[in-house]
Amino acid sequence: MPRRSKVLSGALVASALLLTSIGIGTVAADASTPVAAGAAHAGHTMAVSTAASPDDPDGDGYIPANPPVTGVTPSTDEPPHRYFHEFQANCAVSHTAPDDPIVFPQQPGKSHNHTFMGNTTTDANSTTASLDAGSTTCLAPGDRSGYWMPTMYDGDRPVLPVGPQTIYYKAGVTDYTSVRPFPKGLRYVVASPMQSAQDFRDHPGFVEGWECGDSFFNVDFPTDCPERRDVQVNIRWQAPSCWDGRNLDTPDHRSHMAYPVVNPGTNNNVCPADHPVALPMIEFKMAFPVNGDLSRVRLASGASYSFHYDFFNAWDEPTLKAMTDHCIVGGLQCDARGYDQSHPEAGAALNEHYELP
């Protein structure tokens, strides 16, 4: 059952960052995440950001949407039931780097190492405009978004996902017809490298945790991972999908987003009143080519439960709208072309080149 994330104020987050001098995701969206406990498990610290993104000219951490989305109330409607309302963005790994343009903008080398997918130009200096001008490893050329996560290592060897990875775009609310595309330039961090093992388990984005073979719902990397060619370590993790309608980013890189909540007296998921705008719910489904003895496997951010990821939207706007309207609002289970094999009569949103027809 989805739970609403507890939001911290920008001022409180800024103070905590300055006091603790730790890095990305220092303060989790859930107020229950103890910073000190997270720092203890991670075994490393990173410097505080000392620069602002060019997208944030006054440097206050807030990047306002232009225009903002106003006058929206969370939808409590119940459209006809459709089991699926989603499409895939299939994007391959492009590069790794100790950069993070959301948390450490214009500060190359200041982050722990990240594995980047999607936009091939993503680095510490990335902005909405630079990503918009970049190329992509995603099947759909219109998806120039940046996706990144901490690099996995087996000892000192990077373990990088091979081939296009599955990034779902889903309806996180019951009224899937109320979902609208991401605004260009929206960015956020999902989960926190400083979270404890219990925070990881209890996080509203937790789907199946770490899995391998027949072992699921693990907080730690599985100890019973078969050493077979067809076996990999996987994780599935969902992002918040309710937006405040006002900010493309906030000082903690989380507070402008929230997870859906349960509408009292029903089993329906709705956006909370202070984050009323329903956007696609991103779900990472990552496969790492490692198995067998996982005792030397770690993340660049720390332990297994330090997993988190970042999203920076740079989709071509007409392409994202076509995919969202056709697949999510239309109640289909689409591939990266916007085609549902179970409903061929619906056609596809994109052509054979994954572009608008």
Side-chain angles (χ1 to χ4, degrees):
M1 181 178 296
R3 295 178 296 277
R4 177 177 172 183
S5 59
K6 302 176 180 67
V7 177
L8 298 178
S9 72
L12 179 58
V13 170
S15 298
L17 284 170
L18 290 172
L19 288 171
T20 55
S21 296
I22 54 182
I24 174 174
T26 302
V27 180
D30 294 326
S32 59
T33 301
V35 173
H41 92 71
H44 73 284
T45 60
M46 290 187 303
V48 173
S49 180
T50 56
S53 168
D55 289 336
D56 177 22
D58 64 3
D60 67 352
Y62 292 90
I63 301 176
N66 185 21
V69 176
T70 59
V72 176
T73 56
S75 175
T76 57
D77 292 346
E78 297 184 43
H81 176 72
R82 299 298 291 266
Y83 191 76
F84 295 103
H85 10 70
E86 65 184 41
F87 67 87
Q88 294 183 22
N90 297 141
C91 308
V93 170
S94 59
H95 60 287
T96 65
D99 289 356
D100 190 321
I102 296 178
V103 180
F104 295 115
Q106 302 186 89
Q107 298 162 91
K110 204 165 188 178
S111 171
H112 53 247
N113 199 271
H114 283 112
T115 294
F116 292 87
M117 297 172 290
N119 201 298
T120 61
T121 70
T122 311
D123 62 18
N125 297 308
S126 292
T127 63
T128 303
S130 73
L131 293 179
D132 206 33
S135 59
T136 184
T137 65
C138 300
L139 293 183
D143 185 5
R144 296 185 288 272
S145 302
Y147 308 89
W148 61 96
M149 59 190 172
T151 298
M152 178 183 285
Y153 292 93
D154 184 5
D156 294 326
R157 178 181 66 87
V159 179
L160 305 180
V162 178
Q165 298 300 295
T166 300
I167 301 170
Y168 290 106
Y169 281 59
K170 301 182 172 186
V173 293
T174 298
D175 183 8
Y176 54 87
T177 68
S178 68
V179 176
R180 64 181 72 195
F182 291 114
K184 181 69 74 68
L186 180 77
R187 67 207 73 184
Y188 53 75
V189 180
V190 183
S192 168
M194 311 314 294
Q195 62 204 354
S196 69
Q198 192 62 48
D199 296 328
F200 180 90
R201 169 74 71 181
D202 293 340
H203 198 281
F206 185 98
V207 179
E208 294 176 356
W210 293 103
E211 56 185 32
C212 185
D214 295 326
S215 181
F216 301 90
F217 304 106
N218 296 288
V219 171
D220 296 312
F221 296 125
T223 56
D224 50 349
C225 185
E227 191 171 353
R228 300 199 317 259
R229 177 174 296 182
D230 61 337
V231 172
Q232 300 186 79
V233 172
N234 298 274
I235 192 168
R236 297 180 65 168
W237 199 271
Q238 292 178 339
S241 60
C242 297
W243 179 42
D244 67 9
R246 301 186 308 274
N247 299 292
L248 302 178
D249 197 12
T250 41
D252 65 352
H253 315 297
R254 293 173 174 79
S255 296
H256 53 308
M257 300 296 297
Y259 284 88
V261 296
V262 175
N263 191 24
T266 74
N267 289 320
N268 296 339
N269 297 330
V270 299
C271 282
D274 54 357
H275 292 75
V277 183
L279 301 177
M281 174 175 275
I282 285 181
E283 179 182 308
F284 266 31
K285 184 180 180 182
M286 300 290 119
F288 299 88
V290 64
N291 55 37
D293 180 9
L294 303 183
S295 61
R296 286 166 46 85
V297 173
R298 59 184 174 86
L299 299 177
S301 53
S304 57
Y305 43 84
S306 71
F307 181 80
H308 58 287
Y309 60 88
D310 299 53
F311 170 64
F312 194 143
N313 176 45
W315 272 88
D316 169 70
E317 291 171 284
T319 304
L320 179 57
K321 179 172 173 52
M323 292 289 284
T324 301
D325 290 350
H326 185 69
C327 301
I328 299 179
V329 175
L332 300 174
Q333 185 183 26
C334 294
D335 60 15
R337 281 188 59 220
Y339 179 74
D340 185 343
Q341 292 184 351
S342 299
H343 294 277
E345 74 283 356
L350 307 179
N351 63 23
E352 65 274 16
H353 302 296
Y354 299 89
E355 298 176 325
L356 288 172

